[in-house]
Amino acid sequence: MANSKITFHRPDVNLRELVARRMPGYSLEAPFYTSQAVFDADMEHIFSSHWIYVGVTPDVPEPGDYMTVQIGKQAILIVRDDDNEIRAFHNVCRHRGSRLCSADKGTVGNLVCPYHQWTYDLTGKLIFADHMAEGFDLSHHSLKPVHLRNMAGMLFICLADNPPEDFDEMARAMTPYIAPHKIDDTKIAVQVDILEQGNWKLTLENNRECYHCVGNHPELNVSLFAYSYGFAPKPEQAEGLRQYEALVADRHAHWEACGLPSTEIDRLEDVTGFRTMRMPLDRSGESQTLNAQAACKKLLGDFKDASIGGLSFWTQPNSWHHFMADHIVTFSVIPLSADTTLVRTKWLVHKDAVEGVDYDTDNLTAVWNATNDQDRRLVEESHVGAQSPAYQPGPYSPYTETLVDKFTKWYINRMGVALE
Ligand code: FES
Ligand code: FE
């Protein structure tokens, strides 16, 4: 790859060509981050074709509770019905297409269109439509369903007619890891939405490495061992790495004996790609807080001991999560345009935990509010750089950026298959 040549990218990209000439082990070419045509393809072939993480069961805790999600041009409604089943629909009235629910969240008895009051029950069936012709058949005008899966309290939707079938493999592997944290028995203590002025792939790439952590995340580094997340030790650090690996082996044996699966699973290259691992935390070893101690006195599930480290879980293409004994932090990424990305963070605590008694909101959120803001800045600076004609793909570290490589490889493979 030439070092000095500056290339001006034409706006009319040939995506097939870009995918075909992608250099493994290097960051993507600029149009993948900046082009409207690539963004449109991302929304069609990635975000409308794969399983997208959208929230948790406590987003809709009671029958009649709903939440809305916007994925590109697609408005989606997620609702808990009277039998406690969580369903997803296109948020589009079958009369003349009005959006049914415009709020982020709400509670309804039935779903009543604000335009002409067509009324749907919580299973999506049309049950009332005034002034229609003789013989009008309500049953032919139900809301259009969207595929939804509830994996131990985590909600994923897929907008494709035929979603990737390997979701079941992820659910089988991941449920034993997640279930002990009992998401159904939590509440959302805090939700924070941030808009990053950067392409969604830069957000994901940034999430998939901790190369940047030492230089950028003082708050997060309190509880993270430097040796986790890929590390190429200098000779004088070899002993530290050996001790860390011995600690991981010891903790894994202990946690697994207590019924907490801990060993790494890396299926990031599957169609429904994911990775997980339970890792020890530094210092008090309890939680991702400013002193590494639990932020909530009331522990999740049946946990009696807060020292169970942090279970991390990453999914392609749009989420990551950290499960601890006292709280869960869950992140979803939704692209809004080629250069704007919504990062939604939720902090979950036990549903009976009382703010000011069991937990302090500032303490609970301090690490990830700071870390998110630091990551936002990193993503935005990368996006500015990617727009320069001087940008050219740069090499990944074979030690600390292997998961970034797996993300971009997954993306290129999925896009390649879609364009075949
Ligand atoms: Fe919904 Fe007319 S568009 S009732
Ligand atoms: Fe970061």
Side-chain angles (χ1 to χ4, degrees):
M1 184 160 294
N3 283 327
S4 55
K5 190 165 170 281
I6 291 180
T7 312
F8 284 84
H9 297 284
R10 290 171 303 144
D12 54 326
V13 298
N14 182 331
L15 183 52
R16 247 190 213 99
E17 233 173 62
L18 282 173
V19 166
R21 69 171 191 234
R22 196 267 154 138
M23 285 177 63
Y26 279 75
S27 62
L28 299 173
E29 289 193 53
F32 282 110
Y33 305 116
T34 59
S35 146
Q36 182 62 41
V38 173
F39 178 78
D40 292 343
D42 288 354
M43 296 318 290
E44 180 181 353
H45 299 307
I46 303 294
F47 278 82
S48 298
S49 303
H50 289 275
W51 288 101
I52 303 300
Y53 170 74
V54 290
V56 286
T57 48
D59 276 304
V60 285
E62 301 290 336
D65 289 346
Y66 73 81
M67 66 185 285
T68 57
V69 183
Q70 187 77 28
I71 297 185
K73 294 190 169 71
Q74 311 221 50
I76 297 122
L77 181 60
I78 294 168
V79 60
R80 186 185 285 263
D81 74 16
D82 290 326
D83 295 325
N84 268 312
E85 188 176 334
I86 300 175
R87 299 168 180 271
F89 303 103
H90 287 278
N91 189 5
V92 179
C93 182
R94 293 295 309 278
H95 178 216
R96 279 167 47 205
S98 168
R99 189 165 60 165
L100 287 169
C101 300
S102 53
D104 291 341
K105 282 188 178 179
T107 304
V108 291
N110 289 307
L111 295 159
V112 183
C113 179
Y115 205 166
H116 314 96
Q117 288 72 53
W118 279 30
T119 302
Y120 305 84
D121 71 13
L122 300 181
T123 70
K125 274 195 202 122
L126 181 63
I127 55 173
F128 173 78
D130 219 355
H131 305 297
M132 297 308 290
E134 187 84 20
F136 171 75
D137 191 343
L138 295 173
S139 70
H140 289 172
H141 297 84
S142 300
L143 292 179
K144 291 187 180 174
V146 169
H147 297 282
L148 179 140
R149 297 294 300 270
N150 175 354
M151 185 177 81
M154 305 183 74
L155 304 177
F156 292 79
I157 61 166
C158 182
L159 291 158
D161 290 341
N162 298 305
E165 291 171 3
D166 63 349
F167 186 94
D168 291 332
E169 287 176 37
M170 178 173 80
R172 258 195 303 279
M174 283 308 305
T175 298
Y177 282 75
I178 296 168
H181 296 264
K182 294 196 179 171
I183 292 176
D184 283 348
D185 291 338
T186 66
K187 64 177 177 182
I188 299 169
V190 184
Q191 173 174 314
V192 173
D193 287 353
I194 58 175
L195 292 184
E196 297 186 347
Q197 302 306 312
N199 186 269
W200 69 275
K201 290 187 283 297
L202 294 172
T203 303
L204 262 293
E205 288 174 42
N206 177 67
N207 167 257
R208 298 295 148 95
E209 49 94 356
C210 225
Y211 195 172
H212 69 271
C213 291
V214 170
N216 291 279
H217 293 323
E219 297 84 0
L220 185 62
N221 290 339
V222 170
S223 63
L224 285 196
F225 281 102
Y227 298 97
S228 52
Y229 295 100
F231 188 72
K234 298 189 178 81
E236 65 273 21
Q237 294 166 318
E239 177 56 19
L241 180 61
R242 197 199 58 72
Q243 284 176 12
Y244 174 71
E245 285 171 349
L247 173 71
V248 172
D250 175 70
R251 292 287 81 197
H252 278 189
H254 173 68
W255 293 330
E256 300 242 350
C258 299
L260 293 175
S262 302
T263 52
E264 179 185 11
I265 304 175
D266 184 343
R267 305 279 293 271
L268 283 169
E269 292 179 52
D270 286 8
V271 177
T272 302
F274 70 98
R275 177 172 182 264
T276 195
M277 187 176 182
R278 194 181 299 275
M279 282 174 286
L281 295 171
D282 205 351
R283 297 187 168 81
S284 314
E286 295 181 348
S287 205
Q288 291 174 349
T289 58
L290 288 174
N291 58 9
Q293 290 173 8
C296 185
K297 282 187 219 151
K298 207 161 189 43
L299 299 185
L300 302 176
D302 300 322
F303 297 135
K304 300 281 181 285
D305 173 11
S307 308
I308 60 162
L311 170 70
S312 293
F313 174 41
W314 298 265
T315 72
Q316 315 284 40
N318 86 315
S319 77
W320 62 91
H321 320 270
H322 302 295
F323 296 75
M324 288 148 286
D326 68 318
H327 77 279
I328 299 165
V329 200
T330 171
F331 305 78
S332 67
V333 172
I334 303 288
L336 301 183
S337 66
D339 58 8
T340 316
T341 301
L342 168 66
V343 178
R344 176 164 287 172
T345 308
K346 297 173 191 185
W347 287 261
L348 313 183
V349 296
H350 193 286
K351 65 182 178 196
D352 297 332
V354 178
E355 186 183 359
V357 177
D358 297 305
Y359 66 97
D360 171 76
T361 297
D362 289 344
N363 183 42
L364 179 72
T365 58
V367 165
W368 277 105
N369 268 336
T371 305
N372 276 346
D373 194 52
Q374 292 147 2
D375 283 327
R376 175 192 58 73
R377 190 171 38 78
L378 298 172
V379 167
E380 292 180 350
E381 291 301 327
S382 297
H383 193 86
V384 171
Q387 291 174 86
S388 165
Y391 170 83
Q392 67 182 85
Y396 295 140
S397 155
Y399 306 105
T400 65
E401 290 176 310
T402 52
L403 303 181
V404 188
D405 193 31
K406 286 184 180 181
F407 168 70
T408 44
K409 209 178 200 180
W410 179 91
Y411 167 81
I412 289 290
N413 285 343
R414 305 277 63 82
M415 194 57 89
V417 168
L419 297 176
E420 264 169 15

